[in-house]
Amino acid sequence: MLQIAYRAKDITEAHIVAGLLNANGIETYVGGHYLQGAMGEIGAAGFSNVHVGDEDLYPARQLVAEYEASSRVTPASDGGDGKPDSYARWFLLAMAVLALILLNL
């Protein structure tokens, strides 16, 4: 019998986790392929599940817990140089000056 080892946000994440489990010798089945298009262009969420056999459920959930712990992203600092903000401000200033010039023509 198959058990749900992971409830993915979308089909892509389900296949990533399934690949991780397969690489560690755990046979998987990804369900929810045909439900993804049910909502049209809006991405359907919560319909994709990674299933494993009963005997693989515990090791699969351990691997999933490690995957989730390692995938937590911390915000990167920009190094304090402020370049992205600086470039954006100069771009917006240039666009504003160009708009004023064009409006006065």
Side-chain angles (χ1 to χ4, degrees):
M1 179 141 201
L2 294 176
Q3 300 288 329
I4 296 175
Y6 186 70
R7 295 182 192 276
K9 289 180 263 179
D10 54 35
I11 198 74
T12 304
E13 184 183 31
H15 279 288
I16 290 170
V17 171
L20 169 72
L21 296 176
N22 288 331
N24 284 283
I26 298 174
E27 190 174 330
T28 61
Y29 169 77
V30 177
H33 287 98
Y34 300 111
L35 296 173
Q36 293 298 300
M39 305 270 305
E41 294 297 318
I42 300 172
F47 294 111
S48 303
N49 298 317
V50 179
H51 303 267
V52 298
D54 289 336
E55 66 281 357
D56 292 326
L57 183 61
Y58 182 72
R61 290 207 173 148
Q62 283 183 318
L63 286 168
V64 166
E66 291 172 15
Y67 162 76
E68 288 178 330
S70 69
S71 67
R72 289 193 176 91
V73 179
T74 57
S77 96
D78 62 358
D81 61 0
K83 285 185 180 177
D85 286 338
S86 176
Y87 292 138
R89 288 184 186 129
W90 280 110
F91 177 76
L92 290 174
L93 178 63
M95 296 306 294
V97 168
L98 183 62
L100 286 172
I101 293 170
L102 290 175
L103 286 174
N104 287 328
L105 290 179

